[in-house]
Structure formats: structure tokens, C-alpha cells
Amino acid sequence: ILNVEQSPQSLHVQEGDSTNFTCSFPSSNFYALHWYRWETAKSPEALFVMTLNGDEKKKGRISATLNTKEGYSYLYIKGSQPEDSATYLCARINAGNMLTFGGGTRLMVKP
Amino acid sequence: SAVISQKPSRDICQRGTSLTIQCQVDSQVTMMFWYRQQPGQSLTLIATANQGSEATYESGFVIDKFPISRPNLTFSTLTVSNMSPEDSSIYLCSVSDRSNQPQHFGDGTRLSIL
């Protein structure tokens, strides 16, 4: 994998459903992976910074896992709510603290 | 976390004109970055704004098109020069102090070129 890739591009779920998305990234020279949540007309908000293989982080109903050897991270949302509707971005940190972003997963939660 | 004020929040500009976007931070920060998100594309780094020296541009971005200033540790500007419809994007500034900390973003500038 040469770039940071996210799937799916978009996702529609019903309120109360649990869901997950994938972020794939180059596994060589890994520093850290960031997850951000970006609501329309707002600034991207940091969710997690993940650095170690096997990391699992949780913030409320949202959690993430990291596999640096195979180059992927999963973001999980348990019991989705309409306010979870946003674009979820992952980004790989390069040397110099520069972020390479994936294309994002746009989540829409229907009430 | 740092509070970032980005102006303008949106603008509609004529082809061939230039627009300067400002990014003000409420505290001194080590690193400031400028990003662009074209419609349907991922967020892409334009350049790293360096205090007191020329910005470091990523592949595909040049100083003549996107001049950047950073006179101090709390302020930076990005100019989009000689605009064309392809420059219609969301432009974001972000700041960071350490590589193991998340970046903090401004609210973005939504730019449309007619």
C-alpha cells in the first residue's frame, strides 16, 4: 500500500446500529496514526492518536484498533446516533509531523 | 488545546484574482500547516509554514501559486494567486507542537471561483 486508503467511502446506517470503517496505510517507517471526525461547517476534531501495534483506544461509544505490521486500523461506533453523522478521517504521520490523509468515510445515521 | 481563528470562512471570487487566508492561534505553536480539500478528494497538505523562512511545499504545490507567510509563532497567511475554478476547495490551517499529539484545525475557508 502506497497511500492511506479508507473504506467504505460512505455509509448509511439506522440509529442504534453499530458500524465500523477501515483505514489502510503503508506499514514501513510507521510513526503514528490519527483519527479525526469532521462535521460539515466545522473543523476536524481529533479522536485518537495511535502509535503502538495492538493499540486499542476508546472514547465513549467510539473505539479504534491499530495493526502496524499489516498496516490497518479499524474505527468502531457502537449504537450510532444521528449526531455521529460526519466524515471520519484517518491520517498517517510522516517525518516532520506531516499528515497524509485518507479519503475519509462519510457516515450518515438516520433517526 | 490551541484555539485557531481562520478568516474568511468563505468567499466567492472571480477568475484571475487572488485571496489571502489568515490563520491566528491563541498561543505560540511550533508547527503550522496548510491543507486543501478539493471536491470529492482527500485532505491534501499544501505546505508547512516556517517561522521566519520560506515555507516547505509538497509535490505539486509552488510558491508562486500559494505564497505563505509566517511572521511569528501565532500567525500565518496563505494566498491563492491567479485563481481558476480548479482552486475551488476548502482550505484549512492546522497547528501542532509534537508528533505524538493531534493537530488542531481551523474551521476552514470555503472558496468558490466563478
Side-chain angles (χ1 to χ4, degrees):
Chain A
I1 296 172
L2 299 178
N3 297 314
V4 179
E5 298 171 357
Q6 290 186 247
S7 63
Q9 282 189 328
S10 64
L11 192 57
H12 291 75
V13 301
Q14 285 295 134
E15 182 176 357
D17 287 351
S18 294
T19 186
N20 64 85
F21 340 123
T22 305
C23 173
S24 302
F25 52 87
S27 56
S28 60
N29 299 318
F30 178 83
Y31 290 93
L33 189 84
H34 293 195
W35 279 100
Y36 293 87
R37 179 171 175 272
W38 193 5
E39 287 184 73
T40 303
K42 295 186 178 180
S43 58
E45 170 198 359
L47 291 173
F48 305 113
V49 175
M50 310 185 77
T51 55
L52 299 176
N53 185 46
D55 256 358
E56 291 188 28
K57 298 214 171 177
K58 189 175 181 182
K59 187 177 183 179
R61 293 179 291 99
I62 304 176
S63 60
T65 61
L66 178 68
N67 183 320
T68 61
K69 294 184 179 178
E70 296 183 37
Y72 64 84
S73 175
Y74 294 136
L75 188 80
Y76 301 91
I77 301 179
K78 185 178 178 182
S80 302
Q81 300 297 308
E83 56 265 30
D84 295 329
S85 297
T87 297
Y88 291 82
L89 298 167
C90 70
R92 183 178 181 271
I93 279 275
N94 302 317
N97 202 28
M98 292 176 288
L99 292 173
T100 299
F101 281 89
T105 293
R106 187 179 176 201
L107 174 67
M108 284 152 282
V109 182
K110 299 175 186 176
Chain B
S1 62
V3 176
I4 301 165
S5 173
Q6 188 174 336
K7 295 178 183 179
S9 59
R10 61 178 66 240
D11 207 339
I12 301 172
C13 299
Q14 294 293 325
R15 188 192 300 250
T17 61
S18 298
L19 177 75
T20 296
I21 302 168
Q22 297 182 357
C23 182
Q24 178 75 55
V25 192
D26 68 342
S27 59
Q28 294 185 342
V29 291
T30 308
M31 291 170 277
M32 293 182 80
F33 304 96
W34 287 98
Y35 292 86
R36 171 176 85 174
Q37 187 190 41
Q38 293 176 300
Q41 304 294 315
S42 58
L43 206 50
T44 303
L45 181 65
I46 298 171
T48 303
N50 300 310
Q51 192 259 331
S53 65
E54 190 172 293
T56 306
Y57 289 85
E58 295 302 301
S59 175
F61 298 97
V62 295
I63 188 171
D64 290 346
K65 176 66 177 177
F66 297 102
I68 288 171
S69 78
R70 191 176 175 193
N72 55 53
L73 293 176
T74 64
F75 183 77
S76 178
T77 66
L78 168 75
T79 299
V80 186
S81 302
N82 188 24
M83 289 183 284
S84 66
E86 294 72 40
D87 295 319
S88 297
S89 298
I90 300 173
Y91 292 85
L92 286 162
C93 70
S94 76
V95 304
S96 176
D97 269 329
R98 297 178 210 160
S99 60
N100 62 348
Q101 297 296 317
Q103 292 188 11
H104 300 284
F105 289 84
D107 284 344
T109 297
R110 284 150 180 83
L111 181 58
S112 298
I113 291 89
L114 301 178

